[in-house]
Amino acid sequence: MNSQKQATSALISVFSKDGLAPIVEKLHALNITMYSTGGTEKFIKDLGIPVVPVEDVTSYPSILGGRVKTLHPKVFGGILNRQNNESDVAELAEYEIPQLDIVIVDLYPFEKTVASGASEEDIIEKIDIGGISLIRAAAKNFADVLCVSSVNDYGTFLNLLETQEGNFSIEDRKAFAAKAFNVSSHYDTAIFNYFNKNHEIAALKISENNGKVLRYGENPHQRGFFFGNFDEMFEKLHGKELSYNNLLDVDAAVNLMNEFTNDDPTFAVLKHNNACGFATRATIHQAYVDALAGDPVSAFGGVLIANKKIDKATAEEIHKLFCEVVIAPSYDEDALKILKGKKNRIILIQNEVALPEMQVRSCLNGVLVQDKNAKTDVLEDLTYATNNKPTDAQLEDLLFASKLCKHTKSNTIVLVKNKQLCASGTGQTSRVDALNQSIVKATNFKFDLNGAVMASDAFFPFPDCVEIAGNAGIEAVIQPGGSIKDQLSIDYCNSANIAMVFTGTRHFKH
């Protein structure tokens, strides 16, 4: 295996020509012979630089509308030969195959074509065959060949070319081989997922090229990483780097607020993935004030999110609180100036980006995958279980509470009054415990529960919850229904003049 190797030849066949010109010029300056095809060949010629058409090597033209250009033994022999193998060297001479020391490829943009909504015919034509084969061959033979596999690596390669004058070490070639197999595996994953979009084949393939090392994981002794395009979804205006736990809370905040995107001004305060404060009001300022009132103790160190622009008055209130992250679609300039007063406070603008439709989490020695819970309870879903029907105002509060309940850890009970979260019982082992926890919290923060409504993420197996709720002043309940003992809860609600509606949909969140 050659540790140092001076390149004398290069094969260039790329889709993207951005940044290619200085590479070609440097290769020419180093007297490195270039071979190319089609549009890339024309690009090099237009620079006034000599280039050898691949057809001159293979004695075959580009055929089938350009589908077959480089797929030939005289090309792949030049890439795959082992220069320290006498038999390989002899065969190259016998068949007049040129040695290829550098291979530069940029694949057809398959993912971009799919994302553009193009026709299936156009998408299929963007499945690169020759390019992906060149990448795999060159990366496999990194002992002798340096493979540049993406436009994203043009700059890195040019720097290496300039600093080392085309004399590459085995470490250089192996590092570029790793990049190449990352490109090829990601490309194939995207193609497979396009063909398997309905999951007819029970196989899971995930590939994320945007990776970031975090300070640590959930705790300082754990390593942590984020894989995804954070910058596509958010514009970070200020503050420290987001941690593993910050990202989990931001995810919870975004998914919750997505339920209220087009509603009146709404503000949420989250802690440990659960809303501890939430309110919808006529102004974003009042929404924040009333959301904070839901649990000003838990709000310390929390994540804040708004569905409307944050103004100066709201920023002044937020600035009184120690919080980790503030998220909004936009900010007034004077509001930003105030919020930036804490150097570590993370300030994000949320962009409109489609979120994944599937959820993936590790489990045992494998992974669990499920559809995202895209169901939101609406008025048309409700069946009226009790003699007493909820008022229009109660119906609004019930659906408001149901949305909150859907995004709160199970077992959960959510108490709401006038579109304000009074309290919730989160992550409890029994629904009775969740209810009692929520009542205690609401009482501690001076909420009057008379006239409030209650949401449960699952049915009541016994009438104990509605009885406890009724004694606390709850006047309306929303729950999935479906227990074999539903009638016991219905009977109690009828006797206590409590309105209860069924949604028919459970919203467990484990």
Side-chain angles (χ1 to χ4, degrees):
M1 184 177 291
N2 298 324
S3 59
Q4 289 288 139
K5 185 172 183 298
Q6 182 67 46
T8 61
S9 60
L11 172 64
I12 310 174
S13 180
V14 302
F15 179 85
S16 177
K17 316 299 189 295
D18 295 341
L20 183 63
I23 291 175
V24 170
E25 290 164 355
K26 184 62 180 177
L27 290 171
H28 178 57
L30 292 172
N31 295 316
I32 293 175
T33 302
M34 283 172 273
Y35 301 85
S36 192
T37 63
T40 308
E41 178 193 336
K42 181 179 183 303
F43 176 85
I44 297 171
K45 284 182 176 177
D46 288 347
L47 292 173
I49 293 174
V51 58
V52 179
V54 166
E55 291 92 330
D56 288 359
V57 176
T58 64
S59 300
Y60 247 97
S62 171
I63 63 172
L64 306 182
R67 280 188 165 196
V68 180
K69 296 189 288 282
T70 58
L71 296 169
H72 194 281
K74 284 199 172 184
V75 174
F76 282 85
I79 296 171
L80 285 165
N81 74 92
R82 293 156 292 189
Q83 293 182 31
N84 61 355
N85 183 296
E86 291 183 7
S87 176
D88 284 8
V89 173
E91 285 188 89
L92 254 64
E94 180 183 355
Y95 297 110
E96 299 180 335
I97 299 173
Q99 168 66 42
L100 296 172
D101 302 312
I102 300 169
V103 172
I104 303 174
V105 177
D106 182 63
L107 298 170
Y108 293 157
F110 178 81
E111 287 180 281
K112 287 183 180 179
T113 306
V114 172
S116 73
S119 68
E120 180 155 283
E121 182 180 1
D122 289 339
I123 290 170
I124 298 305
E125 285 308 308
K126 288 300 184 290
I127 298 177
D128 206 311
I129 303 300
I132 203 78
S133 302
L134 292 171
I135 286 173
R136 290 181 61 83
K140 173 178 179 174
N141 201 28
F142 68 87
D144 294 304
V145 182
L146 188 140
C147 178
V148 181
S149 54
S150 168
V151 64
N152 297 324
D153 291 324
Y154 287 3
T156 304
F157 174 66
L158 178 60
N159 181 64
L160 191 68
L161 200 60
E162 291 174 336
T163 57
Q164 297 183 199
E165 299 291 304
N167 187 16
F168 306 120
S169 69
I170 184 62
E171 290 78 19
D172 296 330
R173 301 194 298 273
K174 195 167 186 178
F176 272 86
K179 290 173 178 280
F181 285 119
N182 180 40
V183 168
S184 66
S185 62
H186 180 82
Y187 199 74
D188 283 342
T189 294
I191 295 169
F192 170 75
N193 287 335
Y194 171 77
F195 280 95
N196 197 44
K197 63 184 69 174
N198 295 319
H199 306 283
E200 294 91 347
I201 300 173
L204 174 66
K205 299 190 189 301
I206 300 172
S207 180
E208 286 289 352
N209 278 331
N210 294 295
K212 184 174 184 179
V213 179
L214 304 175
R215 294 197 304 274
Y216 49 79
E218 218 164 357
N219 298 291
H221 62 277
Q222 296 169 266
R223 293 191 304 160
F225 307 87
F226 174 72
F227 295 98
N229 194 348
F230 185 86
D231 293 337
E232 178 188 28
M233 188 162 185
F234 297 101
E235 181 183 352
K236 184 169 177 282
L237 303 178
H238 183 74
K240 63 183 180 180
E241 291 299 311
L242 281 92
S243 69
Y244 184 99
N245 291 334
N246 288 154
L247 290 167
L248 285 174
D249 283 331
V250 168
D251 176 71
V254 166
N255 280 288
L256 171 58
M257 193 56 74
N258 279 351
E259 302 274 2
F260 299 85
T261 301
N262 298 316
D263 288 24
D264 290 336
T266 300
F267 217 108
V269 182
L270 286 90
K271 193 71 172 290
H272 296 173
N273 302 174
N274 294 309
C276 58
F278 200 97
T280 295
R281 292 293 181 260
T283 66
I284 202 66
H285 173 261
Q286 194 59 50
Y288 172 72
V289 170
D290 290 351
L292 181 64
D295 188 344
V297 175
S298 295
F300 182 87
V303 169
L304 279 55
I305 187 168
N307 71 342
K308 298 288 189 285
K309 177 187 284 189
I310 291 181
D311 55 21
K312 181 181 179 182
T314 309
E316 287 173 337
E317 290 298 325
I318 292 172
H319 195 58
K320 299 173 185 177
L321 174 73
F322 168 70
C323 60
E324 292 274 354
V325 185
V326 182
I327 309 166
S330 59
Y331 303 81
D332 284 335
E333 281 301 316
D334 48 5
L336 269 181
K337 185 176 180 180
I338 293 167
L339 293 174
K340 289 180 178 179
K342 298 283 177 70
K343 69 175 184 178
N344 287 331
R345 180 183 286 145
I346 299 164
I347 303 173
L348 303 175
I349 290 177
Q350 181 183 345
N351 303 319
E352 289 189 23
V353 175
L355 295 175
E357 296 178 358
M358 304 296 292
Q359 291 181 314
V360 182
R361 65 195 296 184
S362 61
C363 181
L364 301 175
N365 61 344
V367 294
L368 286 170
V369 180
Q370 68 170 351
D371 294 331
K372 192 171 183 179
N373 185 359
K375 171 65 178 174
T376 297
D377 298 325
V378 295
L379 191 63
E380 291 74 19
D381 296 327
L382 305 182
T383 57
Y384 300 89
T386 53
N387 298 329
N388 190 31
K389 302 297 186 289
T391 65
D392 289 346
Q394 285 175 334
L395 282 171
E396 285 193 14
D397 271 356
L398 287 168
L399 292 172
F400 181 95
S402 173
K403 291 178 182 179
L404 282 171
C405 198
K406 170 185 168 182
H407 292 275
T408 307
K409 295 288 186 181
S410 300
N411 285 321
T412 187
I413 292 288
V414 169
L415 305 180
V416 164
K417 188 175 181 180
N418 300 325
K419 292 189 177 179
Q420 179 184 20
L421 174 63
C422 301
S424 57
T426 65
Q428 299 302 303
T429 52
S430 85
R431 206 156 300 281
V432 170
D433 286 346
L435 175 54
N436 285 329
Q437 182 191 60
S438 63
I439 292 171
V440 169
K441 283 191 70 174
T443 302
N444 286 344
F445 292 115
K446 311 303 181 186
F447 282 98
D448 178 7
L449 292 178
N450 287 298
V453 307
M454 174 175 76
S456 172
D457 60 340
F459 62 60
F460 301 124
F462 304 102
D464 43 10
C465 280
V466 288
E467 184 174 353
I468 294 168
N471 291 334
I474 304 295
E475 293 184 358
V477 176
I478 186 168
Q479 58 129 323
S483 168
I484 59 173
K485 296 185 178 180
D486 272 345
Q487 194 60 46
L488 296 177
S489 294
I490 293 170
D491 290 344
Y492 178 83
C493 287
N494 282 331
S495 67
N497 206 31
I498 296 172
M500 184 162 64
V501 296
F502 291 168
T503 65
T505 303
R506 189 182 73 183
H507 288 294
F508 273 166
K509 187 171 187 284
H510 281 43

